[in-house]
């Protein structure tokens, strides 16, 4: 069983910064793509950023230039550095990872964390 746990959320003023972490543990042979998503109250889940195993990144237009995704493969961890935060960034932020759980199969399973709350308010 693979578990993803997010941390680093909290309350921050507009214009402030937060750094989120998502650590994967359990039965892991390797991890391919890792992503961040967010969901605000009353809204649909929104894809935020993605990073491949070889370091290629993509961002949603709403966060481009303000957020940076990175990863540490040795720690099975993905990060989201969030700068210039706005009230509309308020949401529960979840990470996902495409995990290879077994040596004898090349199949990957998309695994989700439970999320961490980010609130941007004065």
């Amino acid at each position: 069983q693979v578990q993803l746990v997010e941390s680093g959320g909290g309350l921050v003023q507009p214009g402030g910064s937060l750094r989120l972490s998502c650590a994967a543990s359990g039965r892991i042979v390797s991890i391919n793509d890792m992503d961040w998503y967010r969901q605000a109250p009353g809204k649909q889940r929104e894809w935020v950023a993605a990073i491949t195993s070889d370091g290629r990144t993509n961002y949603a237009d709403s966060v481009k230039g303000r957020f940076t995704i990175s990863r540490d493969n040795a720690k099975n961890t993905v990060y989201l550095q969030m700068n210039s935060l706005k009230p509309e960034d308020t949401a529960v932020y979840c990470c996902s990872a495409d995990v290879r759980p077994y040596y004898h199969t090349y199949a990957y399973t998309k695994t989700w964390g439970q999320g961490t709350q980010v609130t941007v308010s004065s």
Side-chain angles (χ1 to χ4, degrees):
Q1 182 67 34
V2 176
Q3 179 175 290
L4 271 61
V5 178
E6 300 95 339
S7 62
L11 176 64
V12 65
Q13 295 185 35
S17 298
L18 284 174
R19 189 187 192 222
L20 306 183
S21 299
C22 171
S25 61
R27 189 185 297 277
I28 300 171
V29 174
S30 62
I31 300 177
N32 197 358
D33 295 350
M34 304 184 82
D35 294 78
W36 285 98
Y37 296 81
R38 67 186 182 186
Q39 187 167 21
K43 296 184 178 180
Q44 295 275 62
R45 186 184 65 190
E46 176 189 18
W47 172 80
V48 175
I51 185 166
T52 65
S53 60
D54 57 355
R56 290 172 292 167
T57 61
N58 281 297
Y59 300 92
D61 288 340
S62 58
V63 307
K64 197 172 298 182
R66 299 187 297 122
F67 291 9
T68 302
I69 188 171
S70 61
R71 66 192 289 169
D72 185 336
N73 290 335
K75 297 180 179 179
N76 290 327
T77 299
V78 62
Y79 305 94
L80 187 67
Q81 178 67 47
M82 305 185 295
N83 299 326
S84 302
L85 283 163
K86 306 173 181 179
E88 51 263 45
D89 294 318
T90 296
V92 174
Y93 284 72
C94 295
C95 64
S96 71
D98 295 331
V99 178
R100 178 185 177 184
Y102 302 109
Y103 285 100
H104 61 271
T105 179
Y106 291 101
Y108 284 78
T109 300
K110 190 178 183 73
T111 304
W112 294 83
Q114 296 187 49
T116 184
Q117 177 71 49
V118 172
T119 302
V120 185
S121 176
S122 59

